[in-house]
Amino acid sequence: MGTNQNSTEIDEGLYSRQLYVLGHEAMKRMKNSNVLIAGMRGLGVEIAKNITLGGVKSVTVHDEGNTEWNDLSSQFYLAEEDIGKNRAEASEKHLAGLNSYVPVSSHTEKLTEDFLYRFQVVVLTDSSLEEQLWIGDFCHRNNIKFIVADTKGLFGQLFCDFGEEFIVTDPNSEEPLHAIVTRVSKDNPGLVICLDDTTTHGFRTGDYVTFSEIQGMTELNNCKPIEVQFNDHYSFFICDTSNFSDYEKGGIVTEVKMPQKLTFKPFREALKEPTYQISDYGKMDRHGTLHIAFQALHQFVREYSCLPKPWGKNDAERLVAIANKLSEEEPSILSEEPLNEGLVRKLAYVAAGNLSPINAFIGGVAAQEVMKACSGKFVPLSQWMYFDALECLPQENEEFLLTEESCQPRDCRYDGQIAIFGSDFQEKLKAQKYFLVGAGAIGCELLKNFAMIGLGAGEGGSITVTDMDTIERSNLNRQFLFRPGDVTKMKSETAAAAVRKMNPSVRITAHENRVGAETGNVYHQDFFENLNGVANALDNVETRKYVDSLCVFYQKPLLESGTLGTKGHLQVIVPHLTESYGSSGDPTEHSIPICTLRNFPNAIEHTLQWARDEFVGLFKQPAENVNKYFEDPSFIDHTMALQEGQALEILEGVYRSLDIDKPESWADCVAWARRHWQTRYSNHIRQLLHNFPPDQVTSSGAPFWSGTKRCPHPLEFDPGNCLHMDYVVAAANLFAEIYSIPGSRDRVTIQQILLSVDVPPFTPKSGVTIHTKDEEMEAAEHSTDNGRLAELKELFSSRKNVTGTAMQPIDFEKDDDTNFHMDFIVAASNLRAENYDIPAADRHKSKLIAGRIIPAIATTTSAIVGLVCLELYKVVQGHRPKGAFRNGFINLAVPLFAFSEPPPAASLKYRDKEWTIWDRINVQGIKPNGEEMTLAEFLNYFKKEHGMELISIVCEVWNVYAEHMRQEVQTKRLSQRLSEIVEMLSKEKIEEHVKGLKFEINCKTEEDGEDLPPVFYQIR
């Protein structure tokens, strides 16, 4: 049973990442929904897992049947000892362990109307057409949301009926658009002109907006939502404004997401008059045939009491005959197009199969539809969706490789997969050696699929998984291999132990390493050359690019994927066939101009980033620099080697930390926090307004405080104001922590201390420069108070008069609500927002932005990993044409599914030879006599073997050879071994695991811009 919890309360610690996808209101509606999932084979358990993690009111799983060998190919909560036991009962306890807030129960009797009345959503999987028809009728009559989900081998089917009047409260997962208004005309219709900066307004015809902060034409402020008509990227039309007041200045226009009312056909009607959700734009012509073929499959089972035999030609022809008859009875379904008999045969061949990746994809999509049904958040499917992954079948010698004999059941856990790909391919899967980087949400789903398909589960096979992180409570909502008792344990080892239970044959080794240059002694040439492939499950671009570079260098396939809320992407990278991840990579993140952060914020994102910078600048960097000063005798020399302005800032920070700001007691910490509040939220603002008064105009006569520049006002400290006290309490405790002084949460005592704090008076000064553009700031960085810098250098160089002890730098941690970190961020940001009349952000939103949290939900992860593992099948088969592979992007909110053939690796040319990133020049550096070649011999080798006269050789960042080197350096190096030169330049011995060096070379050429492949120089 679940943990008792008030229906309006949401455990933000557990659901935090999902809350950033769905929002509090949608989550509250989900908590009032009882969901029935009928059918506990692989698809049913996938849906149940995702819905239980999601946090509905209750989940009931239903199945009248018992576990069979075929089930174990994808039902990850059934084991060999469960064969013969009821599937629902055997799965119940595992599902119940996923989320203590969601009671899970099982039902093993026939479904009845009285039983169905209990639920708000009913999901049927692995059900007969007769059952779908009567339950569909019942649910539509009683306004129960109804979903049919089915998978047959490499095919999937989904149907949704959410009733006569279904309200969508938010059609997508995007934040509402907003733009700065610069002018509104008095016309019919009125024309709104937005600030012409680096971004467009983004509004489209049919969108609705409202206005705020407009001066003059105040009728628009807080108006009812107004429909927009697009004009151009910086303007749009609204309602009749001809009788409104004259527009003066300012204003923010914000998108309003309007509720949408949708009407669904009942199942029986939609069966005869289908509308289709596109699941692959390259296969739109298959919808009608698959709609008929799935009905034909139901009729086949009724007539023969079984599914068609795997790759059985006679059964395939029987199914084609049934499908042809149905298409004649319902000619409108094919819209005068002929039945695709070849597609129907393929369905017959694989229908008895049972694949974990297909169930993961369809199960993820179906579970998101359940969440939509419960919450009204996002747009449901309309109404049928069909999906196939026939590209996974071998395209050459299919009939020879796949026969009834090779695909017949073996009474083993892989029977569902053997039915599709045959027993030989299963053995190939079991012998694979794969490296998984990351054991978070995507990593957990990949490991589950790896275990189900038997990857690395046989003689010679293995999976190595590495993750340096420990399990946090917020992980439990989507990283389904972990339980509350696993919090603080290592992710990789815990995940490995969990999948061993799912498939005891899996040969998995867990590491706790970061993959980077520092672990090159672990993930070296021997390690990579022993692999068949790599899968990334990472959330940062830097490590993705590093792993990608290793895969390119060692020529290993890479499966790359990621999610962001309801969005997900996958990229398959195949040596000598496709481009790599690093060939394009992710777009660079938009940075906020420094002047905007320091003086001219106009959005809560600006004040939150400012607060993050404050946190680092107050509680981390100064303490780190103090420690470096005491630990490193060369600290002053290293600091003085920096740009003068930077050096002065560092030394001033050390001086303040060890002298004028250093506290002796808790009361001193409170006093420091109070005075810092005064400096930031009053004094600095008063100085800014002294430099640029509210009525300031620019050289062109335009108001200075307009557009993105919001005119601020100083704050007056009030100990009775909760936000003011939030700041002082958090700042004082953090300041005390870096000096190892005990803090306090006692606000009464803190207020008493504040009564005696001396806050120096402040008068704005003339002659203070405040920059309005980053370019001005960069130019001014060269003008430094050299006298003060020399004074500080002399003070710290002597070390005689400097006393102090090590400090405790604080690393920002967003997920601990007891450490004052988010308390400080929220208070600091919202006080600054109040300075500039920017709407404040609550703690939830502040944590998202300041913590740079990636919104996540289990449904997207499940679906995208299913697609990744379909590509894995193709990679393992080998020798597939590029057209067989699929990169993909999905957005379950909209919903959108887009697939494309991976781009080829870019072709480069040297003379008459073409090459790509996958090519390299291999040079055996060890001569037949066992000695390594010298630089002179290396140069001669290229001249003789490749006709190249090298002019430079670079290893990492070191210039091994350049023709412009001084003659004495050249002469000396020509007689040296290349490894000897690299050791001399790097000042490090080449470690034993390094078997080769990578060189970048250039040579004399008649044409400019010609590139050469890298050189792999073998030394061991």
Side-chain angles (χ1 to χ4, degrees), residues 962-979:
E963 65 173 359
H964 58 72
M965 281 178 170
R966 296 197 317 273
Q967 189 60 46
E968 61 270 27
V969 175
Q970 272 198 39
T971 302
K972 179 181 178 182
R973 289 191 183 176
L974 285 170
S975 62
Q976 292 179 298
R977 293 176 287 111
L978 272 82
S979 62

Side-chain angles (χ1 to χ4, degrees), residues 937-950:
E937 290 170 329
F938 184 84
L939 295 172
N940 188 55
Y941 169 84
F942 271 88
K943 196 169 187 178
K944 181 180 177 182
E945 297 293 328
H946 299 282
M948 298 180 187
E949 191 171 336
L950 301 189

Side-chain angles (χ1 to χ4, degrees), residues 57-94:
K57 186 175 182 180
S58 74
V59 169
T60 300
V61 294
H62 166 263
D63 203 308
E64 298 171 48
N66 295 331
T67 305
E68 303 166 358
W69 278 111
N70 185 288
D71 296 325
L72 303 188
S73 293
S74 65
Q75 221 288 20
F76 44 87
Y77 285 149
L78 296 178
E80 291 186 20
E81 55 265 29
D82 294 318
I83 291 175
K85 298 178 183 176
N86 180 273
R87 284 185 284 261
E89 291 179 337
S91 303
E92 177 187 347
K93 63 177 185 240
H94 299 286

